[in-house]
């Protein structure tokens, strides 16, 4: 009874609360054991609505287990376990607590059956995850964390506004298919869109993820955006606008990824591109496409997490992930290099996980006759492989070392183990896609390994690889530079900053004027009192009526005007 | 239960009179108790008695009954009637409850901030103020309201000036001038009503006002009363007395008054707006309450904005009070059962939230000796329990879910959304103002936790007698945020009885 009605998110969340008081080893045990407990609960509890209660006259569903939420539930627990292993060597209570509560709230959001519970978990993920960024304990990470928090809270506020309007309009807070036309639909859509990193709303991602700790980035990359993808799949399937949003999302980050120097930032851009695939899948909205979005989320968490882990290991050992300062690491960190190649290959190569999930979406686009979308998907799929799949392993592990590189040790065992598990899953899914397809929301008899799929993809991938090699040989490939890229965040950082500065200055002045006015009033009262009490008595011609009295009288005058006449 | 004039003296039947008489008689006695802690202990005892009385009164009227008590056996409308229904029983409970919980806290704080030879006068003033506020709330007579208003105001002037801070003297004097003006407006309003109807009994007024309601005199009376009362609850721009008054007076006074004085005045507003003028059609579509709405919106926007720029913690809290009063008045201005519920429930919610915050501020002052925010650097390390309570109550001020502040804002926004486009705009401004609240609370968090304490300061945690009331209120902020049964249901019943709607 308790077990069935226990909202899934609470397992990790309460674990996080417990971790706040447990010693180091206790916390680590929690991080390794709780994902299994959660996973077991998902398997054990039958599908349906559980933990239903009524609050404020709204029906809250704490735990809605169905085929759509289960896909995300499974992969979130797998990601939580891998993150737990990768995180094993870190002795930092703040990160342990933040990680557990953050992962718990993300799981909770997936299984929330109503918008109110969703909103609560939604805000919880923001508040808990920011500590993974703060945990770096540098000034830059603190500032990035604050910027991140503001954006995330804004997303929650939009969701809250939308949900209230939706509730008033429909009388229900059930979290089902909402649609843009529903009351409050647009606000909810924008709230989801911020976390899903829609174009122009995406900067928080590239801004904050590279500032988080080594393990923090790995954890962050898995949950927030995929949670948003789930909510889009739940609330807005088949919403045509999503296709075009997704197309832009897949295309533009490629160019940024191409020239960016910070390799974790490169991954953040390609993360954005991969989200575009899922958004397009949701926008198409057919069973095949939604399956594709779910499958893509599943495999994406694994290989993107794997890539972030390899870069995390490099950062941990070398102290930097700038392309300009890395190279030749394959000698010192051969295993990490190998895992990195697996992660990169998983983005596009047949026999790896990304291929079997992306194919679903690409085929869905073709099946609906959306040839432009189909072409864009192919372009993006190859483009991201070129800019990320080749760039990351090449610059980190194989390029000529730019400076005399000290040799370093291979990554710690727990990191290697976490990467190994991910890599194994990436390959496993690529080889046996049937297991992944079995848990997808809709029944499918899709076959990814048809001749045409493989040939199309391989031609593109190989020729693009050839192109990269040629560009490198001829020196036309953009050289990696120490630079800062101007993205749309210029608007937020500079222009809005100016507006903010102006507002603050204005506010200071206003406040000064208000208190100044008051001080003037007090002074005049003191003056009046002095003259009343002093010799000469009531002969002041200069004493002004006090501001307070003036306003009080003005208020009375207004009332008398409006009502008295 | 409805009439109280029974043979002989019965304690339970005379509760309405005792509610006011007990603190009133106790106050002069208090001035004779000039030994150590004597006045304090006596005030605490009296306060406990008044709390017991108001709890009993609330129990009696919760079923929907109205207690009508004839003072001295003179039947209304000729004699003075004490009339207890759901709403004023609720306010009585808030006032006496806050006094009861603030007094244990006051012991150490007052020892530090008020000269020892004035303690008996301080606590006598406290009891008089309590008596005045309870009297305003319980009486059913318009002129009697004015009398008790003066009792509470005069004692407030004295309480504000009782500390060692010389700035409190000008603040108290300023309140004296403005408060007198406000009281005069109220008196003019009551006088006009008396001329037009020949009665001062509120229930009787409501009945007799009907035929003469469409006269300039009655409208002018309404205008004078509204503005006069607005000054007493410091609605922007009639707020000038509040920031300095709360900031420079002894901390315990800030706790007591911020949680009760403005609430009582808002109750008076409700009483006049709905019970007396409820039936009167005002100018075109406007009614008196609706005209308060723009003031309320400006109040919470300006109040929150100015609070951000304060350098003195108590002034910051005072400006935030001005903003919070804006929320209450906005709820009343929006009208309807939902709007009134939002306003009334925020009376209660803000009372416990702001009392907790002022308590924490007073505890800081006890140990640090200054209210300048920069002097609180690193206070989260030296006074962890007080600071944590401050931050948690601060969350309630912002309106974070699971706190009482959220409940208030929730109902306020629900009420606003019933008013079409303008309602959406108001809801958006409420949310914007909440964001401003995040900023001014965050300022304290930043100073308290992210800065290092000054090296040569020896600061210890606040004494238990201050921590316990502080934490009781802080826990209350969360308890009543989760268990909304008491506060929201009572507020809704009160709103329904004010509007004459049967549930």
């Amino acid at each position: 009874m308790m077990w069935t009605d226990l909202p899934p998110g609470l397992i990790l969340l309460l674990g996080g609360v417990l971790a706040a008081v447990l010693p180091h080893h206790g916390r680590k045990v929690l991080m390794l054991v709780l994902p299994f407990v959660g996973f077991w609960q998902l398997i054990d509890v039958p599908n349906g609505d559980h933990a239903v209660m009524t609050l404020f006259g709204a029906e809250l569903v704490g735990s809605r287990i169905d085929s759509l939420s289960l896909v995300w539930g499974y992969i979130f627990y797998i990601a939580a376990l891998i993150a737990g292993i990768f995180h094993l060597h870190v002795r930092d209570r703040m990160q342990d607590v933040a990680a557990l509560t953050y992962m718990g709230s993300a799981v909770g959001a997936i299984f929330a059956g109503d918008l109110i519970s969703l909103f609560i978990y939604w805000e919880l993920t923001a508040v808990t995850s920011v500590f993974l960024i703060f945990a770096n304990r540098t000034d830059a990470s603190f500032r990035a964390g604050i910027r991140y928090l503001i954006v995330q809270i804004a997303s929650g506020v939009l969701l809250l506004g939308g949900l209230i309007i939706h509730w008033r309009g429909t009388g229900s807070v059930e979290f089902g298919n909402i649609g843009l036309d529903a009351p409050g639909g647009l606000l909810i859509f924008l709230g989801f869109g911020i976390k899903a990193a829609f174009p122009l709303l995406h900067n928080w991602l590239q801004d904050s993820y590279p500032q988080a700790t080594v393990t923090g980035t790995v954890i962050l990359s898995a949950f927030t955006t995929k949670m948003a993808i789930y909510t889009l799949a739940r609330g807005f399937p088949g919403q045509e606008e999503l296709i075009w949003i997704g197309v832009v999302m897949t295309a533009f980050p490629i160019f940024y990824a191409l020239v960016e120097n910070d390799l974790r930032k490169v991954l953040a851009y390609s993360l954005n591109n991969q989200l575009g695939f899922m958004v397009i899948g949701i926008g198409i909205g057919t069973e095949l496409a939604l399956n594709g979005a779910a499958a893509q989320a599943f495999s994406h968490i694994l290989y993107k997490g794997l890539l972030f882990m390899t870069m995390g290991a490099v950062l941990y050992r070398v102290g930097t992930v700038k392309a300009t300062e890395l190279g030749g690491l394959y000698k010192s960190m051969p295993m990490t290099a190998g895992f990195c190649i697996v992660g990169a290959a998983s983005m596009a190569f047949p026999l790896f996980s990304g291929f079997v999930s992306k194919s679903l979406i690409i085929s869905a686009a073709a099946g609906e006759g959306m040839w432009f979308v189909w072409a864009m998907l192919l372009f993006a799929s190859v483009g991201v492989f070129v800019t990320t799949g080749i760039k990351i392993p090449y610059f980190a592990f194989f390029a000529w070392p730019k400076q005399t590189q000290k040799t370093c040790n291979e990554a710690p065992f727990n990191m290697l183990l976490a990467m190994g598990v991910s890599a194994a899953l990436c390959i496993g899914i690529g080889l046996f896609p049937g297991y992944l397809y079995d848990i997808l929301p809709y029944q499918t008899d899709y076959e990814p390994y048809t001749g045409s799929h493989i040939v199309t993809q391989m031609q593109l991938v190989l020729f693009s690889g050839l192109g990269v090699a040629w560009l490198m040989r001829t020196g036309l490939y953009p050289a990696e530079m120490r630079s800062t890229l101007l993205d749309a965040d210029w608007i937020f950082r500079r222009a809005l900053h100016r507006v903010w500065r102006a507002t603050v200055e204005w506010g200071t002045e206003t406040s000064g004027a208000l208190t100044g006015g008051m001080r003037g009033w007090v002074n005049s009262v003191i003056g009046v009192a002095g003259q009343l009490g002093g010799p000469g008595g009531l002969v002041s011609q200069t004493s002004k009526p006090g501001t307070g009295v003036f306003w009080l009288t003005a208020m009375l005058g207004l009332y008398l005007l409006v009502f008295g006449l | 239960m409805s009439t109280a004039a029974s043979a002989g003296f019965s304690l339970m039947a005379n509760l309405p009179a005792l509610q006011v008489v007990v603190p009133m008689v106790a106050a002069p006695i208090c001035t004779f108790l000039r030994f150590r802690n004597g006045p304090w202990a006596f005030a605490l005892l009296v306060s406990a008695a008044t709390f017991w009385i108001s709890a009993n009164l609330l129990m009696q009227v919760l079923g929907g009954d109205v207690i009508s008590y004839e003072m001295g056996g003179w039947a209304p409308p000729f004699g003075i009637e004490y009339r207890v229904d759901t709403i004023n029983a609720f306010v009585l409970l808030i006032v006496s409850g806050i006094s009861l919980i603030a007094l244990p806290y006051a012991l150490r704080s007052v020892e530090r901030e008020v000269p020892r030879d004035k303690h008996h006068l301080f606590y006598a003033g406290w009891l008089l103020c309590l008596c005045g506020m309870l009297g305003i709330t319980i009486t059913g007579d318009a002129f009697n309201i004015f009398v008790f208003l003066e009792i509470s105001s005069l004692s407030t002037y004295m309480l504000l000036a009782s500390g060692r801070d010389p700035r409190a003297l000008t603040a108290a004097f300023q309140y004296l001038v403005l408060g007198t003006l406000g009281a005069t407006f109220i008196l003019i309003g009551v006088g006009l009503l008396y001329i037009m109807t020949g009665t001062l009994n509120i229930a009787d007024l409501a009945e007799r006002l009907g035929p003469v309601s469409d006269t300039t005199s009655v409208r002018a009376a309404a205008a004078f009363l509204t503005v006069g009362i607005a000054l007493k609850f410091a609605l922007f721009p009639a707020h000038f007395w509040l920031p300095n008054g709360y900031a420079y007076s002894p901390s315990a006074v800030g706790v007591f008054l911020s949680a009760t004085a403005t609430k009582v005045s808002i109750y008076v507003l409700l009483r006049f707006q709905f019970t007396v003028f409820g039936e009167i059609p005002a100018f075109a579509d406007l009614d008196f309450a609706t005209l308060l709405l723009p003031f309320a919106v400006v109040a919470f926007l300006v109040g929150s904005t100015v609070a951000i720029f304060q350098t003195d913690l108590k002034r910051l809290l005072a400006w935030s009070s001005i903003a919070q009063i804006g929320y209450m008045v906005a709820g009343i201005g929006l009208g309807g059962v939902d709007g009134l519920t939002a306003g009334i429930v925020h009376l209660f919610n803000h009372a416990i939230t702001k009392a907790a915050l002022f308590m924490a501020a007073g505890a800081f002052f006890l140990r640090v000796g200054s209210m300048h925010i920069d002097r609180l650097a690193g206070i989260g390390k030296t006074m962890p329990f007080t600071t944590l309570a401050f931050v948690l109550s601060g969350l309630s001020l912002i309106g974070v879910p699971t706190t009482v502040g959220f409940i208030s804002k929730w109902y306020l926004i629900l009420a606003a959304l019933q008013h079409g486009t303008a309602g959406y705009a108001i809801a958006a401004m409420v949310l914007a103002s909440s964001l401003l609240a995040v900023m001014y609370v965050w300022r304290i968090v930043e100073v308290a936790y992210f800065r290092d304490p000054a090296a040569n300061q020896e600061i210890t945690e606040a004494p238990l007698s201050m921590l316990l009331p502080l934490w009781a209120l802080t826990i209350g902020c969360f308890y009543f945020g989760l268990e909304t049964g008491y506060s929201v249901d009572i507020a809704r019943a009160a709103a329904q009885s004010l509007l004459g709607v049967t549930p």
Side-chain angles (χ1 to χ4, degrees):
Chain A
M1 182 61 201
M2 264 305 287
W3 180 237
T4 312
D5 274 338
L6 180 72
L10 288 188
I11 295 176
L12 290 174
L13 255 175
L14 295 178
V17 175
L18 193 61
V21 293
L22 281 183
H24 174 73
H25 292 292
R27 301 200 296 269
K28 295 304 166 191
V29 169
L30 276 185
M31 293 191 78
L32 295 182
V33 169
L34 287 182
F36 284 105
V37 178
F39 206 95
W40 169 245
Q41 190 202 22
L42 294 189
I43 295 172
D44 192 37
V45 173
N47 285 12
D49 289 354
H50 309 290
V52 181
M53 63 179 204
T54 307
L55 192 75
F56 297 132
E59 191 177 77
L60 304 188
V61 181
S63 163
R64 171 178 52 189
I65 300 181
D66 62 9
S67 55
L68 186 63
S69 56
L70 270 179
V71 183
W72 267 267
Y74 290 145
I75 187 60
F76 273 12
Y77 278 125
I78 294 173
L81 177 67
I82 293 174
I85 300 172
F86 188 74
H87 185 75
L88 206 59
H89 65 285
V90 178
R91 303 186 74 94
D92 181 357
R93 186 182 301 271
M94 179 163 153
Q95 286 190 56
D96 294 346
V97 174
L100 277 170
T101 47
Y102 168 53
M103 298 188 293
S105 3
V107 172
I110 297 301
F111 290 99
D114 65 281
L115 289 167
I116 295 177
S117 314
L118 177 71
F119 164 73
I120 293 171
Y121 287 122
W122 196 259
E123 290 290 44
L124 265 178
T125 57
V127 176
T128 50
S129 60
V130 74
F131 286 95
L132 292 173
I133 301 168
F134 286 158
N136 233 349
R137 297 180 172 88
T138 63
D139 193 44
S141 68
F142 181 73
R143 284 158 176 274
I146 293 289
R147 288 195 294 270
Y148 169 84
L149 192 61
I150 290 172
V151 174
Q152 302 294 313
I153 296 283
S155 154
V157 170
L158 285 172
L159 175 58
L160 178 62
L163 108 82
I164 291 173
I165 296 171
H166 188 71
W167 186 8
R168 299 302 301 186
T170 64
S172 156
V173 290
E174 196 212 336
F175 180 30
N177 190 342
I178 299 168
L180 277 181
D181 302 327
L186 183 64
L187 283 182
I188 299 179
F189 186 72
L190 284 177
F192 291 172
I194 288 180
K195 287 218 186 194
F198 281 2
L200 297 182
L201 305 176
H202 67 279
N203 301 102
W204 60 268
L205 200 158
Q206 288 83 4
D207 180 27
S208 61
Y209 282 12
Q211 295 292 349
T213 59
V214 168
T215 49
T217 313
V218 174
I219 299 170
L220 284 170
S221 75
F223 294 95
T224 299
T225 49
K226 260 60 75 183
M227 174 180 85
I229 293 294
Y230 164 81
T231 55
L232 284 172
R234 177 70 79 181
F236 301 93
Q239 194 75 42
E240 204 172 317
E241 288 81 354
L242 283 173
I243 299 177
W244 305 110
I245 292 173
V247 166
V248 179
M249 279 172 82
T250 53
F252 85 94
I254 293 175
F255 303 104
Y256 281 105
L258 188 64
V259 285
E260 175 60 53
N261 189 27
D262 183 328
L263 292 182
R264 288 208 293 178
K265 221 167 195 172
V266 172
L267 286 177
Y269 274 114
S270 86
L271 171 62
N272 215 326
N273 154 290
Q274 305 288 309
L275 293 173
F277 278 84
M278 303 171 216
V279 171
I280 291 175
I282 296 164
I284 295 172
T286 58
E287 289 194 355
L288 182 62
L290 287 174
N291 268 349
Q296 172 70 1
F298 195 98
S299 60
H300 167 77
I301 286 179
L302 289 172
Y303 65 75
K304 187 61 62 172
L306 176 56
L307 285 171
F308 269 116
M309 280 192 274
T310 59
M311 286 306 104
V314 169
L315 180 63
Y316 182 70
R317 284 301 188 208
V318 185
T320 178
V321 281
K322 296 256 191 271
T324 40
E325 292 161 31
L326 288 175
L329 277 176
Y330 75 95
K331 281 181 193 157
S332 325
M333 307 175 76
M335 310 253 311
T336 310
F339 290 135
C340 185
I341 291 171
V342 173
S346 297
M347 287 204 277
F349 259 94
L351 301 183
F352 290 95
S353 61
F355 177 78
V356 303
S357 56
K358 276 182 190 166
S359 303
L360 286 171
I361 302 174
I362 296 176
S363 299
E368 296 296 302
M370 301 171 177
W371 295 109
F372 175 72
V373 176
W374 178 82
M376 282 303 291
L377 283 171
L378 273 185
F379 161 73
S381 162
V382 171
V384 75
F385 181 69
V386 171
T387 56
T388 315
I390 295 179
K391 178 171 181 167
I392 294 278
Y394 177 75
F395 281 115
F397 297 103
F398 298 104
W400 243 186
K402 306 304 178 303
Q403 295 150 351
T404 41
Q405 192 96 54
K406 279 184 217 153
T407 50
C408 63
N409 292 329
E410 179 57 276
F413 176 72
N414 68 303
M415 283 190 170
L416 288 176
L417 180 63
M419 291 188 261
V421 172
S422 292
L425 284 169
C426 282
I427 299 172
I429 291 172
L431 293 179
F432 310 104
Y435 291 106
L436 174 59
Y437 291 169
D438 279 348
I439 60 165
L440 293 182
Y442 301 100
Q443 284 294 320
T444 177
D445 49 0
Y446 184 77
E447 176 50 62
Y449 293 120
T450 61
S452 73
H453 285 153
I454 296 177
V455 171
T456 318
Q457 185 85 356
M458 286 308 284
Q459 278 176 343
L460 285 166
V461 168
L462 290 178
F463 274 106
S464 60
L466 217 58
V468 172
W470 180 74
L471 286 173
M472 293 248 185
R473 275 276 169 229
T474 53
L476 290 174
Y477 194 85
E480 62 281 20
M481 290 175 293
R482 283 189 196 82
S483 58
T484 307
L485 284 181
L486 275 189
D487 192 349
D489 61 347
W490 185 89
I491 304 170
F492 303 114
R493 291 234 207 145
R494 284 280 165 260
L496 283 186
H497 185 66
R498 275 180 204 159
V499 173
W500 168 243
R501 282 272 299 278
T503 318
V504 168
E505 278 164 21
W506 176 84
T508 316
E509 277 171 21
T510 314
S511 147
L514 284 171
T515 48
M518 187 123 89
R519 201 174 300 130
W521 191 87
V522 172
N523 285 340
S524 71
V525 167
I526 295 171
V528 170
Q531 283 178 342
L532 281 174
L538 298 152
V539 280
S540 167
Q541 301 292 324
T542 53
S543 71
K544 295 171 200 143
T547 325
V549 178
F550 169 77
W551 283 108
L552 192 64
T553 329
M555 214 173 152
L556 178 69
L558 178 74
Y559 263 79
L560 286 174
L561 256 175
V562 175
F563 294 122
L565 294 181
Chain B
M1 196 178 290
S2 59
T3 54
S6 54
F9 182 81
S10 152
L11 181 70
M12 294 310 280
N14 286 299
L15 282 182
L18 289 172
Q19 178 81 93
V20 178
V21 169
V22 168
M24 187 186 276
V25 174
I29 297 175
C30 200
T31 58
F32 294 107
L33 304 170
R34 300 196 180 182
F35 52 92
R36 184 183 163 81
N37 290 344
W40 171 79
F42 183 67
L44 183 63
L45 189 72
V46 173
S47 208
T50 52
F51 179 74
W52 179 81
I53 295 171
S54 31
N56 269 298
L57 285 174
L58 183 64
M59 289 297 163
Q60 289 180 23
V61 297
L62 261 190
D65 292 326
V66 175
I67 302 175
S68 169
Y69 181 87
E70 298 157 8
M71 257 307 177
W74 294 83
F78 308 107
I80 291 172
E81 180 198 15
Y82 279 10
R83 202 177 168 82
V84 187
D85 58 10
T86 323
I87 173 146
N88 63 358
F90 188 47
V91 177
L92 289 174
L93 189 79
I94 295 177
V95 172
S96 55
I98 291 288
S99 169
L100 180 62
I101 206 162
L103 275 170
Y105 169 89
L107 177 65
R108 294 293 297 273
S109 176
V110 168
E111 248 172 30
R112 153 119 197 204
E113 295 177 41
V114 179
R116 177 161 295 283
D117 59 338
K118 295 211 173 67
H119 279 192
H120 58 290
L121 294 175
F122 178 86
Y123 287 110
W126 182 296
L127 288 176
L128 270 182
C129 191
L130 176 65
C131 158
M133 288 194 282
L134 294 172
I136 295 170
T137 313
I138 202 169
T139 188
D141 184 279
F143 185 74
N144 212 221
I145 286 185
F146 169 75
V147 172
F148 280 117
L149 195 75
E150 281 298 280
I151 292 180
S152 75
S153 298
L154 290 170
S155 49
T156 302
Y157 308 145
M158 180 222 142
L159 284 176
L160 288 183
S162 63
R164 291 198 169 95
D165 193 329
R167 290 173 297 183
L169 292 176
T170 47
F173 184 71
Q174 189 181 356
Y175 186 30
L176 175 80
V177 172
L178 286 171
T180 309
L181 264 176
T184 312
F185 287 177
I186 294 173
L187 188 59
I188 292 172
V190 172
L192 283 170
L193 289 180
Y194 184 58
I195 292 169
M196 295 308 291
T197 61
T199 181
L200 286 169
N201 183 288
I202 286 179
D204 203 30
L205 261 178
E207 278 174 29
R208 296 212 204 167
L209 215 48
V212 292
S213 64
D214 206 19
T215 57
T216 311
S217 311
V218 171
R219 289 162 182 277
F224 272 102
L225 277 168
T226 309
V227 177
I229 299 166
L231 178 111
K232 295 308 260 184
F233 60 78
L235 177 66
F236 190 91
H239 65 284
F240 283 84
W241 58 270
L242 188 141
N244 284 351
Y246 285 3
Y248 302 137
S249 57
S251 304
V253 175
V255 173
F256 183 41
L257 292 183
S258 71
T260 53
T262 47
K263 316 296 175 287
V264 168
S265 311
I266 285 189
Y267 157 77
V268 177
L269 177 81
L270 286 170
R271 193 49 100 196
F272 275 107
Q273 298 293 6
F274 293 97
T275 309
V276 178
F277 299 118
E279 304 296 316
I280 302 177
F283 187 74
D285 287 345
L286 286 171
D287 56 34
F288 302 101
T290 312
L291 191 59
L292 288 172
L293 201 50
F295 289 105
V297 172
V298 175
F300 62 68
L301 288 179
V302 173
S304 302
T305 312
V306 177
I308 297 174
F309 300 100
Q310 296 305 310
T311 52
D312 181 298
L313 178 58
K314 278 207 252 172
R315 277 183 68 90
L316 183 153
L317 293 178
W319 275 103
S320 133
S321 276
I322 292 169
Q324 303 286 326
I325 288 159
Y327 293 136
M328 292 172 222
V329 178
I332 296 166
L334 286 165
V337 173
D338 278 356
L340 276 184
T341 308
I344 296 170
V345 82
H346 199 44
L347 283 188
F348 173 76
N349 291 345
H350 179 245
I352 57 176
T353 307
K354 199 41 80 59
L357 286 165
F358 268 106
M359 277 187 180
F364 291 149
F365 187 81
L366 181 80
R367 292 303 193 214
V368 181
S370 165
M371 275 288 95
H372 200 281
I373 290 176
D374 288 337
R375 291 284 303 277
L376 300 178
I379 198 84
K381 299 184 186 77
T382 46
M383 299 176 70
F385 294 109
T386 313
T387 316
L388 183 62
F390 184 94
V391 173
L392 290 178
S393 324
L395 292 180
S396 174
L397 202 59
I398 297 166
V400 176
T402 72
T403 62
V404 287
F406 174 73
I407 305 296
S408 308
K409 292 215 173 111
W410 178 257
Y411 283 99
L412 187 57
I413 288 174
L414 284 188
L417 292 184
Q418 293 170 354
H419 290 258
T421 319
Y424 284 102
I426 291 172
M429 283 186 278
V430 169
L431 290 176
S433 170
S434 306
L435 286 181
L436 295 173
V438 174
M439 283 191 234
Y440 62 71
V441 173
W442 175 256
R443 279 193 64 206
I444 311 298
V445 173
E446 201 229 324
V447 170
Y449 286 108
F450 292 94
R451 289 201 207 157
D452 291 324
N456 52 3
Q457 271 182 324
E458 286 293 323
I459 296 171
T460 50
E461 184 54 81
L464 209 58
S465 69
M466 297 174 103
L467 277 180
L468 287 181
L470 168 61
W471 272 96
L473 288 172
T474 307
I475 291 167
C477 286
F478 285 83
Y479 178 76
F480 292 106
L482 294 168
E483 171 63 59
T484 55
Y486 304 108
S487 51
V488 175
D489 289 352
I490 294 176
R492 185 169 290 276
Q496 281 162 345
S497 80
L498 277 175
L499 290 171
V501 184
T502 43

